């Protein structure tokens, strides 16, 4: 165990299989965190502090400074205790007990005052006042870090909403809290609720980017990368800073670009990403993502993977992306290898390793894994160091397809002959409206009560 407190802490994190980023990221911390507003700033700083060795102290000190401007005493104490672990001699590692006690008393007094006012509103049965009382209490709980109570207060507004605008505001506030909690099932539920409400054109223009971004985060959290990509690609460029309590425009570019790379083929990337005039404005904020997608489309896979690897540390420090980085990168690399191998019947491992800027041993392990999972239809010639495509007998395939088509045609012809013979024999009875040919009433789905099971005519073939 290292004698340095910060190294000792991260050695323990690594031993517990947590993600630890040792290299310096390319992002500037202050510029990065300025893209956000509200509690997400604190959450992202704490995430960076607990995952990045070089940025740990700086991130937690900025978080402590921001926390002292708010009223979340519990989070402040946790941040200070964390700083004491990694930098015990830092001046900020000593908690400001006077501020903590004063803020705790202030929060308690405001909570008591708001609860008393809400009780009075309920006694007077004034719906609008009760709704606003729950909203004020929810905002108060959210600011002081009591997210479960904030969720309850916002949810209780529903019974007192008298206009669609009130339901919209309530749902957006709940979405904000649920994203902070990681409760993405509720996020999807409230996005759907908003989608079912009648909205004015102005409200539609304001809400569409927020709803697309929120649904994209929910799909990303569930590892539904194609659905997430579609949501982020459909997000209007008017998002700007309007939803920076949850997500920034830069995040839309990164999340959408990586999910698209992992889930779409080259032609779809060209049509829906590179040629998407709406999403292009997001890509201008993160040019490395645009370059990576362009390189993948033009079959320059090594350049694409090189760019992604250069920004890997940045994405590992993103609070929403961190647990998906490995899977996304593995999927993109596997797709690159498959696309590279399509034109060849065989290729040397040495030339592939050079094309993907890796060594043969690592590449061979990757190829073995892909072949085992059925991702790559090929064999490895270990003697000659070749990757060989499996030969397919095209003549046998054509013969098989032709025989299948002939059998299907013969079966269809026999069924038609049976039908014609039944009509000739007078076995068909025309029923009145609402009945089948046997005079029996239809059940839901078109089946008749007491009718024969489907497929009985096949017995005649």
């Amino acid at each position: 165990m290292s004698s340095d407190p910060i190294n000792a802490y991260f050695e323990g994190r690594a031993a517990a299989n947590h993600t630890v980023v040792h290299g310096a990221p390319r992002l500037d911390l202050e510029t990065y965190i300025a893209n956000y507003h509200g509690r997400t700033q604190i959450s992202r700083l704490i995430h960076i502090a607990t995952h990045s060795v070089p940025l740990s102290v700086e991130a937690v000190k900025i978080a402590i400074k921001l926390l002292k401007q708010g009223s979340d005493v519990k989070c402040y104490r946790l941040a200070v205790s964390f700083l004491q672990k990694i930098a015990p001699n830092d001046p900020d590692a000593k908690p400001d007990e006077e501020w903590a006690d004063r803020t705790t008393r202030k929060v308690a007094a405001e909570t008591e005052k708001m609860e008393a006012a809400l009780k009075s509103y309920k006694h007077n049965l004034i719906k609008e006042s009760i709704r606003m009382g729950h909203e004020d209490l929810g905002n108060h709980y959210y600011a002081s870090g009591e997210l479960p109570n904030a969720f309850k207060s916002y949810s209780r507004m529903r019974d007192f909403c008298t206009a669609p605008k009130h339901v919209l505001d309530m749902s957006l506030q709940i979405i904000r809290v649920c994203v902070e909690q990681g409760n993405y099932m509720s996020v999807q539920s409230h996005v759907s609720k908003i989608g079912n409400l009648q909205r004015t054109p102005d409200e539609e223009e304001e809400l569409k980017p927020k709803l697309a971004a929120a649904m994209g985060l929910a799909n990303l959290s569930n590892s539904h990368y194609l659905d997430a990509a579609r949501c982020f690609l459909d997000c209007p460029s008017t998002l700007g800073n309007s939803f920076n309590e949850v997500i920034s425009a830069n995040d839309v570019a990164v999340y959408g670009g990586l999910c698209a790379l992992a889930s779409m083929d080259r032609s779809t990337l060209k049509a829906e990403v590179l040629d998407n005039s709406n999403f292009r404005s997001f890509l201008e904020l993160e040019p490395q993502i645009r370059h990576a997608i362009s390189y993948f489309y033009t079959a320059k896979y090594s350049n694409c993977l090189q760019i992604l690897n250069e920004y890997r540390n940045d994405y590992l420090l993103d609070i929403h992306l961190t647990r998906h980085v490995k899977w996304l990168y593995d999927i993109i690399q596997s797709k690159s290898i498959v696309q590279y191998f399509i034109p060849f019947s065989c290729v040397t491992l040495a030339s592939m390793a050079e094309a993907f800027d890796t060594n043969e041993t690592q590449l061979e392990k990757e190829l073995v894994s892909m072949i085992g999972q059925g991702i790559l239809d090929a064999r490895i010639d270990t003697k000659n160091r070749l990757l060989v495509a499996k030969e397919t007998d095209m003549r046998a395939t054509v013969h098989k397809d032709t025989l299948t088509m002939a059998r299907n045609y013969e079966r269809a012809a026999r069924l038609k002959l049976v039908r014609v013979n039944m009509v000739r024999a007078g076995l068909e009875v025309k029923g009145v409206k609402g009945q089948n040919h046997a005079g029996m009433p239809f059940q839901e789905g078109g089946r008749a009560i007491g009718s024969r099971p489907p497929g009985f005519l096949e017995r005649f073939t």
Side-chain angles (χ1 to χ4, degrees), residues 167-241:
V167 180
L168 292 176
D169 293 340
M170 177 203 70
S171 297
L172 283 175
Q173 288 164 331
I174 291 177
I175 288 172
R176 179 184 60 177
V177 175
C178 289
V179 170
E180 191 75 19
Q181 290 180 306
N183 182 5
Y184 289 101
M185 186 174 293
S186 291
V187 171
Q188 290 177 312
S189 173
H190 283 87
V191 169
S192 298
K193 287 179 181 178
I194 293 177
N196 294 330
L197 292 173
Q198 292 184 347
R199 304 190 293 272
T200 65
D202 290 340
E203 289 175 340
E204 178 69 22
E205 184 179 355
E206 179 185 356
L207 286 171
K208 187 176 179 180
K210 296 180 181 180
L211 299 183
M215 187 59 79
L217 283 177
N219 285 319
L220 175 62
S221 174
N222 294 326
S223 300
H224 299 159
Y225 299 132
L226 179 58
D227 293 335
R230 302 278 188 204
C231 290
F232 290 123
L233 292 174
D234 290 339
C235 182
S237 56
T238 55
L239 177 68
N241 294 325

Side-chain angles (χ1 to χ4, degrees), residues 29-44:
L29 186 58
E30 292 187 357
T31 304
Y32 169 77
I33 212 62
N35 289 329
Y36 306 97
H37 176 70
R39 289 194 59 85
T40 190
Q41 283 186 311
I42 308 299
S43 301
R44 290 172 183 273

Side-chain angles (χ1 to χ4, degrees), residues 347-363:
V347 63
T348 65
L349 296 183
S351 62
M352 282 193 73
E354 183 179 356
F356 287 95
D357 194 22
T358 184
N359 57 70
E360 285 190 43
T361 304
Q362 185 64 33
L363 177 65

Side-chain angles (χ1 to χ4, degrees), residues 233-250:
L233 292 174
D234 290 339
C235 182
S237 56
T238 55
L239 177 68
N241 294 325
S242 62
F243 207 35
N244 63 358
E245 291 184 343
V246 175
I247 190 173
S248 70
N250 297 68

